[in-house]
Amino acid sequence: MSNLFKKVWESVSNSSRPKKKNSNASSSSSSDFSSYYTDHPNVSLSNQIIMTNSYSSTGEFDRIPIDVFMLILKLLRPHEVAKLTAVCKSWKLIVSDNRLWVHYLQNQLVPWDSIFFSEVNLRSGYPLQTYPCQMQSFMHIYGKRAQVPGAIIIDGGSGYCKFGWSKFDSPSGRSATFLEFGNIESPMYSRLRHFFSTIYSRMQVKSSTQPIVVSIPICQYDDTEAAKAARRQLKEAIYSALFGMNVPAVCAVSQATLALFAARRTSGIVVNIGFHQTSVVPILHGKIMRKVGVESVGVGALKLTGYLREQMQQRNLHFDSLYTVRSLKENLCYVALDYEAELGKDTEASYEVAAAGWFTLNRERFQTGEILFQPRIAGMRAMGLHQAVGLCVDHCHGAELSADESWFKTIVLAGGTACLPGLAERLEKEVRDHLPPSVAKGIRVIPPPYGADSAWYGAKLVSNLSTFPNSWCITKKEFRSKARRNLIW
């Protein structure tokens, strides 16, 4: 195969050498293929080739059907194909075809639909445009994405954080969240500096080498001046700590916003079941609508684990640690679509916890998740999850922020506990029953697209954009000059 393409290269080079009209194309740089564009975007590829055949040629490939030609090109590597743009006009038109570069993008680690979503909706940076960006050629996009330096991603979750390299397929490690890291009585700046230093040390990376994307846990929900000041103080402490470590560029985004991006949405309601509590966050065009109202429910992952522990103790099931209880919750528990009907079923199941042995649960399997909808059965005074989501939807409907009311009818679940089987279906059913039919019409609930790591994957989308880091990050100079954009998410 390599000999075949060597002959082809020699053939097209020889055929294009005497043609002076192509001298400018031949002198183009072969290394930076992101600078080439399709010359006639509104004309079909076959017609473009017919138009140019009068003065250029693809050599021995002239007699091969274009579809077969494209299949042969797909056997080459992208940078090898890009070099062919310098040969002649016909080759440039063929290898610039979007179908070819879509094929290369589809063979990336990131799913193609996520790449398409991010390049259309996120490439402009924040604030997001209310209409999709004008698309560049996919060859240009591929070239720019290949040049993106990558970034360190730290998803500061409410219970523990995930960190890793944006070019990897998943987080490489986990640690305690920076809100609970170190001595909580120490100043926030000192704790953050210690936290980030620890992460860089674990990753064995110098802080001055790559940009960083940090997800900020959902906190200080209100739209009051005090809450705004607290959010601003936290974010400025994050920037100060990182720039003090000579990080070249920083992007700090709300965890809820990143989880929404991971679901390939820029608007919707994110239901984040955190470690201590659950947040219901309305987001329009990537911005949290705090004026509409962020709802908070005092039931989180820790409460579910604690309730399962109480039920196991009542049944005299002995365990050594909360790790055992959490493992059983994650592997045996689910949410019933109809709680009353489930009580009459035999739901017994067993699971083996490493180093702890086998455990058998029955009703505890679905009663644990039921406290999200009926907190009173666990002795808590709080509204149910469906009531909080219904209240948020009602507020969004009444605010009339957009002519298109569908923006708040997509509900995205986030957080590890949100991965409980049956939760999305139950929540959708309860919310529809709770709201008036005219408002409930069209509502759908999406399970966490990447499980507990959804926010991390949202950050991965941002950090692999063809326009990153310029469109999303702030530099030390911008931060110090106070000329930075309003990134108070």
Side-chain angles (χ1 to χ4, degrees), residues 221-293:
Y221 307 93
D222 301 333
D223 193 45
T224 62
E225 291 302 319
K228 288 179 182 178
R231 291 195 297 269
R232 189 179 299 111
Q233 190 176 30
L234 171 61
K235 201 158 191 180
E236 290 189 354
I238 292 173
Y239 282 129
S240 298
L242 289 169
F243 287 135
M245 297 167 62
N246 295 318
V247 175
V250 178
C251 172
V253 188
S254 166
Q255 190 179 44
T257 303
L258 292 174
L260 189 65
F261 291 167
R264 299 189 295 277
R265 302 287 190 281
T266 58
S267 299
I269 294 176
V270 175
V271 178
N272 184 75
I273 304 179
F275 194 61
H276 297 289
Q277 57 192 354
T278 297
S279 309
V280 183
V281 188
I283 299 174
L284 179 61
H285 304 311
K287 181 177 178 60
I288 296 177
M289 297 288 101
R290 286 192 170 86
K291 290 184 178 180
V292 173

Side-chain angles (χ1 to χ4, degrees), residues 89-329:
K89 192 77 171 180
S90 290
W91 276 91
K92 183 176 180 180
L93 289 172
I94 292 171
V95 302
S96 298
D97 184 52
N98 276 337
R99 292 172 297 175
L100 179 62
W101 294 94
V102 166
H103 163 77
Y104 289 132
L105 287 168
Q106 286 175 334
N107 286 279
Q108 303 278 296
L109 288 176
V110 180
W112 158 246
D113 49 0
S114 294
I115 293 176
F116 187 80
F117 160 79
S118 60
E119 292 294 344
V120 170
N121 295 284
L122 307 181
R123 68 194 313 270
S124 64
Y126 186 82
L128 301 183
Q129 295 182 359
T130 56
Y131 53 88
C133 300
Q134 183 177 359
M135 286 296 292
Q136 302 280 355
S137 71
F138 285 109
M139 181 179 180
H140 174 86
I141 289 173
Y142 187 98
K144 288 295 185 181
R145 288 179 70 91
Q147 296 170 16
V148 169
I152 302 299
I153 299 175
I154 300 179
D155 172 22
S158 57
Y160 54 89
C161 90
K162 285 78 69 177
F163 58 87
W165 176 239
S166 64
K167 299 294 185 181
F168 290 171
D169 193 39
S170 60
S172 58
R174 302 173 190 272
S175 77
T177 176
F178 58 72
L179 294 181
E180 298 179 0
F181 193 87
N183 184 357
I184 61 174
E185 295 182 358
S186 300
M188 179 59 74
Y189 175 85
S190 301
R191 290 164 55 193
L192 288 171
R193 185 71 181 257
H194 181 205
F195 170 77
F196 290 128
S197 297
T198 302
I199 298 298
Y200 278 111
S201 176
R202 290 183 183 180
M203 292 187 66
Q204 298 181 342
V205 175
K206 290 183 178 180
S207 60
S208 60
T209 55
Q210 285 95 17
I212 186 171
V213 180
V214 181
S215 83
I216 304 176
I218 305 162
C219 56
Q220 304 295 337
Y221 307 93
D222 301 333
D223 193 45
T224 62
E225 291 302 319
K228 288 179 182 178
R231 291 195 297 269
R232 189 179 299 111
Q233 190 176 30
L234 171 61
K235 201 158 191 180
E236 290 189 354
I238 292 173
Y239 282 129
S240 298
L242 289 169
F243 287 135
M245 297 167 62
N246 295 318
V247 175
V250 178
C251 172
V253 188
S254 166
Q255 190 179 44
T257 303
L258 292 174
L260 189 65
F261 291 167
R264 299 189 295 277
R265 302 287 190 281
T266 58
S267 299
I269 294 176
V270 175
V271 178
N272 184 75
I273 304 179
F275 194 61
H276 297 289
Q277 57 192 354
T278 297
S279 309
V280 183
V281 188
I283 299 174
L284 179 61
H285 304 311
K287 181 177 178 60
I288 296 177
M289 297 288 101
R290 286 192 170 86
K291 290 184 178 180
V292 173
V294 176
E295 304 298 331
S296 176
V297 181
V299 182
L302 193 60
K303 289 286 177 63
L304 267 69
T305 303
Y307 183 59
L308 177 57
R309 177 186 61 185
E310 292 174 8
Q311 294 179 92
M312 292 175 65
Q313 289 173 338
Q314 290 173 6
R315 285 188 53 199
N316 294 320
L317 293 176
H318 300 288
F319 50 89
D320 295 329
S321 67
L322 275 179
Y323 169 79
T324 300
V325 181
R326 194 180 72 186
S327 297
L328 293 173
K329 181 189 74 174

Side-chain angles (χ1 to χ4, degrees), residues 251-485:
C251 172
V253 188
S254 166
Q255 190 179 44
T257 303
L258 292 174
L260 189 65
F261 291 167
R264 299 189 295 277
R265 302 287 190 281
T266 58
S267 299
I269 294 176
V270 175
V271 178
N272 184 75
I273 304 179
F275 194 61
H276 297 289
Q277 57 192 354
T278 297
S279 309
V280 183
V281 188
I283 299 174
L284 179 61
H285 304 311
K287 181 177 178 60
I288 296 177
M289 297 288 101
R290 286 192 170 86
K291 290 184 178 180
V292 173
V294 176
E295 304 298 331
S296 176
V297 181
V299 182
L302 193 60
K303 289 286 177 63
L304 267 69
T305 303
Y307 183 59
L308 177 57
R309 177 186 61 185
E310 292 174 8
Q311 294 179 92
M312 292 175 65
Q313 289 173 338
Q314 290 173 6
R315 285 188 53 199
N316 294 320
L317 293 176
H318 300 288
F319 50 89
D320 295 329
S321 67
L322 275 179
Y323 169 79
T324 300
V325 181
R326 194 180 72 186
S327 297
L328 293 173
K329 181 189 74 174
E330 294 172 353
N331 291 280
L332 285 182
C333 290
Y334 65 95
V335 175
L337 187 62
D338 186 330
Y339 179 68
E340 296 299 330
E342 205 74 9
L343 288 171
K345 298 179 182 179
D346 180 12
T347 57
E348 185 176 287
S350 300
Y351 180 76
E352 184 179 16
V353 180
W358 285 92
F359 291 84
T360 300
L361 301 180
N362 198 330
R363 288 186 174 184
E364 301 86 0
R365 296 182 62 206
F366 62 88
Q367 286 178 329
T368 299
E370 188 63 24
I371 69 172
L372 289 169
F373 298 92
Q374 301 187 64
R376 58 180 176 76
I377 66 176
M380 293 180 288
R381 296 182 63 184
M383 59 180 165
L385 181 59
H386 60 295
Q387 294 169 322
V389 174
L391 188 59
C392 184
V393 170
D394 192 51
H395 287 163
C396 292
H397 176 70
E400 298 181 347
L401 297 176
S402 173
D404 181 12
E405 290 194 345
S406 64
W407 75 267
F408 58 80
K409 295 192 175 183
T410 297
I411 300 166
V412 178
L413 298 179
T417 300
C419 299
L420 285 174
L423 177 57
E425 294 80 3
R426 172 69 179 281
L427 181 59
E428 183 173 310
K429 172 180 173 290
E430 295 287 352
V431 170
R432 289 191 175 195
D433 291 343
H434 184 72
L435 293 170
S438 59
V439 180
K441 184 179 179 181
I443 283 181
R444 60 172 179 157
V445 179
I446 301 175
Y450 293 94
D453 299 333
S454 291
W456 193 92
Y457 278 94
K460 178 180 170 70
L461 285 184
V462 170
S463 57
N464 282 308
L465 279 168
S466 59
T467 55
F468 187 85
N470 298 335
S471 61
W472 279 90
C473 289
I474 182 173
T475 64
K476 186 175 184 178
K477 182 178 180 181
E478 290 171 331
F479 179 71
R480 284 185 170 177
S481 66
K482 304 296 182 181
R484 57 193 182 279
R485 295 160 292 178

